[in-house]
């Protein structure tokens, strides 16, 4: 947190609570009304009990007889007050709970929606585990004080009512109350001051533990194949131990202050009895007055703690809100236009014009390294263009620019002559589709993974996309066909099967531009050739889509109408595969090196039958 002082924490915490009240005013009003009703009934109960003791019990003891009418009236009053208190408790708890959970749900949606609005560059600078913590534990922490807040507000009303009642009864007893109540507030403030840094540190460590856990689980393949289980366990245990110690520190402080918060009202009750007995002997007050005040101090102990609960939760709330607000206030979202392309317009034309790009650095004050510089080329309608170049040449960056996952620093990327920044989001998504290097498969059925519940993508369209991706054969052989659950990240499928499934997912949307970022690296070359041949022509004999493919294999490159050769983020040469082989030594050397690096046919056949774990290793290489 920016500051750990109690005044700043209190001010910022109250600001967070004020935001909650402004967003849910009606529900808060219901909860506070219930709490105020409860508080007033507590004060009223104290004086009814005092009246019963002074006017019914004491006379009955003195005379040896019980007035049935007075007893019945006293019972009716106490019963009525109890019913009203129950109504207040129900209203308070329902309102507070509904308000808290509604805010948490709303802000989880806002954080998640913001994640989807922010560019890839922002996600690359933030660990996945931290983002999960922002949407879960940080949102929860931000609105935790909502639960006791209405109770605390009602308690304040009750305390005011109690002080007024004490002043009406006797000035000496009122002085006892005026001494105890400020002491309770001072103790709560001291508690909040010491709790603030502890809660902030615990909240930060929660995110770090979540991040390490997610990283270890997500990288389980690397951890296991590299024999790093013990080291990863130790790394997690170290940070989990820090979180444990931080939470113990929080609990230890709470263990010290809680008894003190319990003791003060009890000391107040004792002081009331001592002072009250003296005032009773002087004749300044009646027995009923003394009983009422003593009973009032007794029942105040629990409600007053609600104020402490709010103050105790404020440091964690502020820490959680700061982390949530960091996401909500993050900049860099890519606004879309309202231009729409004709979805039935045939293969799209992709044009890069003097495109430059640099990824944002991890630290904002550092300059970003240039990845692309003045890249210009065109993928004509219905054409296949291959991007070829050494590692780091900018091929994958061009692929992400083509579907506008990122925006260029300079120049323009256009589809059918329209700058992609001017296109409506759904129009862009319906026109261009990217199949990435590493296939991502949801833990769902084959059907759900291909269709994504998109309108118009029925089973017939799913099977058509699977056939075009050369995936219909293995899907038909699965135990439940389209209804087969593929497991988390598609663990029940091989690497090649996952790639073909993600390709079918893109094809099912009938894109007019298909961008393949080394999307068939785990597929047999013969199957890859069949896929590209199928993509070249639709069922009617015409081109199904324009294709931009990041290619490594000679057979794939040879199928392209044009090859764009990149070096260090710039277009060095362009032309047919045969032309570049004959005229560009660097291109010739690279393609030859690719050929030499390819696995032999016998190993490739074994690859197709390999276990999903080994296949995943090949895909992630």
């Amino acid at each position: 947190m920016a500051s750990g002082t109690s005044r700043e924490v209190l001010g910022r915490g109250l600001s967070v609570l004020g935001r909650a009240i402004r967003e849910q005013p009606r529900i808060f009003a219901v909860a506070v009304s219930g709490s105020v009703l409860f508080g007033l009934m507590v004060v009223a109960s104290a004086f009814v009990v005092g009246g019963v003791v002074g006017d019914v019990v004491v006379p009955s003891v003195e005379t040896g007889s019980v007035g049935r009418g007075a007893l019945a009236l006293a019972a009716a009053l106490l019963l009525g007050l109890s019913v009203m208190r129950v109504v207040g408790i129900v209203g308070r708890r329902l309102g507070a709970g509904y308000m808290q959970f509604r805010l948490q749900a709303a802000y989880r949606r806002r954080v998640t929606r913001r994640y989807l609005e922010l560019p890839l560059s922002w996600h690359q600078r933030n660990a996945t585990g931290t983002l999960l913590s922002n949407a879960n534990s940080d949102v929860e922490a931000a609105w935790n004080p909502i639960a006791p807040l209405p109770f605390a507000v009602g308690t304040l009303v009750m305390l005011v009512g109690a002080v007024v009642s004490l002043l009406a009864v006797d000035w000496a007893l009122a002085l006892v109350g005026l001494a105890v109540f400020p002491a309770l507030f001072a103790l709560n403030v001291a508690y909040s001051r010491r709790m603030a840094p502890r809660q902030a540190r615990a909240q930060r460590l929660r995110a770090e533990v979540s991040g390490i856990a997610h990283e270890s689980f997500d990288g389980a393949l690397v951890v296991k194949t590299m024999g790093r289980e013990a080291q990863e366990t130790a790394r997690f245990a170290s940070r989990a131990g820090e979180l444990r110690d931080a939470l113990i520190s929080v609990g230890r402080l709470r263990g010290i202050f809680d008894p003190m918060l319990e003791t003060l009202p009890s000391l107040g009750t004792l002081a009331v009895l001592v002072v009250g007995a003296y005032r009773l002997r002087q004749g300044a007050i009646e027995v009923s007055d003394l009983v009422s005040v003593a009973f009032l101090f007794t029942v105040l102990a629990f409600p007053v703690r609600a104020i402490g609960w709010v103050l105790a939760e404020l440091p964690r709330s502020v820490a959680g809100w700061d982390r949530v607000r960091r996401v909500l206030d993050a900049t860099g979202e890519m606004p879309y236009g309202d231009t729409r392309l004709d979805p039935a317009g045939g293969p799209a034309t992709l044009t890069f014009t003097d495109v430059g790009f640099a990824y944002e650095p991890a630290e904002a004050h550092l300059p970003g390294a240039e990845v692309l510089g003045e890249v210009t080329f065109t993928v004509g309608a219905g054409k296949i263009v291959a991007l070829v170049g050494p590692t780091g040449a900018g091929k994958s960056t061009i692929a992400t620019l083509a579907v506008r996952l990122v925006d260029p620093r300079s120049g323009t990327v256009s589809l059918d002559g329209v700058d992609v920044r001017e296109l409506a989001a759904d129009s862009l998504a319906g026109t261009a589709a990217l199949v990435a290097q590493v296939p991502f498969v949801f833990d769902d059925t084959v059907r759900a993974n291909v269709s994504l519940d998109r309108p118009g993508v029925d089973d017939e369209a799913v099977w058509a996309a699977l056939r075009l991706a050369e995936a219909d054969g293995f899907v038909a052989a699965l135990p439940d066909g389209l209804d087969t659950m593929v497991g988390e990240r598609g663990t029940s499928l091989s690497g090649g099967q996952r790639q073909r499934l993600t390709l079918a997912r893109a094809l099912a949307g009938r894109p007019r531009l298909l961008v393949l970022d080394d999307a068939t690296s785990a597929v047999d070359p013969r199957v890859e050739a069949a896929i590209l041949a199928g993509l070249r022509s639709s069922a009617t004999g015409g081109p199904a889509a324009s294709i931009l493919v990041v290619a490594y294999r000679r057979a794939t490159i040879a199928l392209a109408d044009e090859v764009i050769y990149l070096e260090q983020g710039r277009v060095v040469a362009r032309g047919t595969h045969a032309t570049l082989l004959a005229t560009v030594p660097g291109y010739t050397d690279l393609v030859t090196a690719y050929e030499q690096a390819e696995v032999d046919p016998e190993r490739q056949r074994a690859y197709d039958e390999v276990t999903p774990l080994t296949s995943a290793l090949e895909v992630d290489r």
Side-chain angles (χ1 to χ4, degrees):
M1 293 191 308
S3 171
T5 66
S6 61
R7 183 173 298 177
E8 288 173 329
V9 170
L10 180 62
R12 294 165 65 197
L14 292 177
S15 176
V16 175
L17 296 181
R19 176 183 289 270
I21 294 170
R22 288 192 300 272
E23 291 197 19
Q24 304 289 335
R26 294 182 180 178
I27 301 175
F28 181 72
V30 170
V32 168
S33 297
S35 183
V36 169
L37 176 63
F38 170 81
L40 294 177
M41 292 304 101
V42 167
V43 175
S45 296
F47 287 93
V48 169
V49 169
V52 169
V53 172
D55 299 333
V56 178
V57 176
V58 172
S60 298
V61 171
E62 291 175 348
T63 60
S65 63
V66 179
R68 294 183 179 180
L71 187 61
L73 178 61
L77 284 173
L78 290 174
L79 180 61
L81 290 172
S82 297
V83 170
M84 296 299 290
R85 287 171 63 179
V86 168
V87 171
I89 292 173
V90 171
R92 182 195 78 220
R93 289 190 175 181
L94 286 179
Y98 193 76
M99 181 178 176
Q100 179 185 19
F101 298 136
R102 186 167 181 169
L103 282 167
Q104 288 176 352
Y107 273 84
R108 284 193 176 102
R109 289 194 296 269
R110 291 185 193 182
V111 168
T112 303
R113 184 167 59 247
R114 191 63 181 155
Y115 286 160
L116 299 177
E117 292 170 348
L118 290 167
L120 285 179
S121 57
W122 186 87
H123 287 270
Q124 291 162 350
R125 296 194 305 272
N126 294 273
T128 304
T130 300
L131 301 185
L132 290 173
S133 180
N134 291 152
N136 187 24
S137 65
D138 290 334
V139 168
E140 183 176 318
W143 305 120
N144 259 355
I146 298 302
L149 178 61
F151 196 8
V153 174
T155 298
L156 290 175
V157 174
M158 182 176 66
L159 290 177
V160 171
V163 170
V164 171
S165 300
L166 289 175
L167 288 171
V169 170
D170 183 62
W171 63 268
L173 295 180
L175 287 177
V176 175
L178 291 175
V180 171
F181 297 155
L184 283 170
F185 279 108
L187 186 61
N188 278 316
V189 169
Y191 178 37
S192 176
R193 177 184 299 174
R194 287 163 177 77
M195 183 64 77
R198 290 172 171 82
Q199 288 282 27
R201 181 168 182 267
Q203 195 64 20
R204 175 177 57 80
L205 286 170
R206 282 187 179 94
E208 292 181 8
V209 168
S210 175
I212 292 174
H214 182 274
E215 190 175 58
S216 297
F217 301 153
D218 209 34
L221 181 62
V222 176
V223 172
K224 295 185 74 65
T225 54
M226 296 297 176
R228 302 293 297 175
E229 294 94 334
Q231 289 78 4
E232 281 299 299
T233 300
R235 185 165 74 104
F236 180 81
S238 174
R239 199 53 52 88
E242 290 183 42
L243 176 59
R244 175 204 60 206
D245 294 341
L247 293 175
I248 288 175
S249 177
V250 169
R252 185 183 296 117
L253 186 65
R254 185 169 289 163
I256 293 172
F257 274 88
D258 276 0
M260 297 173 67
L261 290 170
E262 288 279 1
T263 301
L264 267 178
S266 299
L267 292 176
T269 303
L270 180 61
V272 162
L273 291 175
V274 172
V275 174
Y278 177 74
R279 297 291 288 170
L280 185 64
R281 190 180 305 118
Q282 290 181 325
I285 61 174
E286 301 291 336
V287 172
S288 58
D289 296 329
L290 178 59
V291 172
S292 296
V293 174
F295 182 80
L296 186 61
F297 271 81
T298 301
V299 297
L300 278 177
F302 177 73
V304 166
R305 292 195 62 191
I307 300 172
W309 294 336
V310 172
L311 293 176
E313 287 293 336
L314 282 185
R316 187 183 173 202
S317 173
V318 170
W321 174 247
D322 284 348
R323 297 170 65 84
V324 170
R325 191 177 60 183
R326 184 183 67 86
V327 176
L328 298 179
D329 293 346
T331 58
E333 70 273 18
M334 299 186 297
Y336 290 88
D338 53 12
T339 303
R340 312 186 75 84
L341 298 177
D342 182 2
T349 298
L350 172 69
T351 304
F352 274 58
T353 305
D354 296 327
V355 171
F357 182 80
Y359 283 104
E360 294 181 26
E363 298 182 38
H365 65 279
L366 296 176
E370 184 180 68
V371 178
L372 299 177
E374 298 181 357
V375 171
T376 299
F377 68 88
T378 298
V379 179
K383 300 297 183 181
I384 297 178
V385 173
L387 292 176
V388 180
T391 301
K395 303 182 296 296
S396 292
T397 300
I398 289 176
T400 57
L401 283 164
V403 295
R404 209 196 168 202
L405 292 179
V406 293
D407 279 335
R409 182 194 60 193
S410 59
T412 58
V413 178
S414 59
L415 285 171
D416 287 347
V418 180
D419 191 322
V420 293
R421 287 170 288 202
E422 299 176 5
L423 292 174
D426 58 343
S427 181
L428 176 60
T431 302
L434 169 68
V435 185
Q437 280 179 302
V438 180
F440 181 84
V441 180
F442 295 97
D443 185 9
D444 209 327
T445 64
V446 172
R447 176 188 289 106
N449 268 284
V450 176
S451 70
L452 295 182
D453 291 328
R454 287 172 287 186
V457 184
D458 54 15
D459 282 3
E460 183 179 350
V462 169
W463 280 115
L466 290 170
R467 281 193 295 272
L468 200 53
E470 296 290 325
D472 57 320
F474 83 79
V475 170
L478 292 174
D480 298 312
L482 293 179
D483 294 314
T484 301
M485 297 292 296
V486 298
E488 185 177 5
R489 294 181 178 268
T491 53
S492 65
L493 305 176
S494 71
Q497 289 172 337
R498 287 199 296 274
Q499 285 194 331
R500 282 178 277 173
L501 196 62
T502 55
L503 176 58
R505 174 195 297 156
L507 294 172
R510 298 180 180 88
R512 299 173 56 215
L513 171 69
L514 186 63
V515 182
L516 306 177
D517 185 7
D518 192 25
T520 54
S521 60
V523 176
D524 185 288
R526 292 165 296 180
V527 176
E528 182 183 41
I531 292 172
L532 291 176
L535 294 176
R536 183 181 288 276
S537 298
S538 67
T540 61
S546 306
I547 301 173
L548 178 64
V549 56
V550 175
Y552 293 91
R553 293 172 178 166
R554 181 191 286 261
T556 306
I557 299 170
L559 288 171
D561 297 299
E562 184 179 31
V563 178
I564 307 295
Y565 178 57
L566 299 165
E567 284 185 357
Q568 297 181 351
R570 282 174 164 74
V571 176
V572 175
R574 57 193 305 166
T576 64
H577 172 59
T579 300
L580 296 186
L581 275 179
T583 60
V584 183
Y587 176 80
T588 303
D589 293 342
L590 185 64
V591 173
T592 302
Y594 287 160
E595 281 188 325
Q596 293 174 348
E598 283 186 357
V599 295
D600 57 75
E602 187 175 320
R603 186 175 171 191
Q604 183 68 46
R605 283 194 299 272
Y607 174 84
D608 284 337
E609 300 171 359
V610 84
T611 62
L613 186 63
T614 308
S615 298
L617 180 60
E618 287 291 324
V619 171
D620 291 339
R621 58 185 165 83

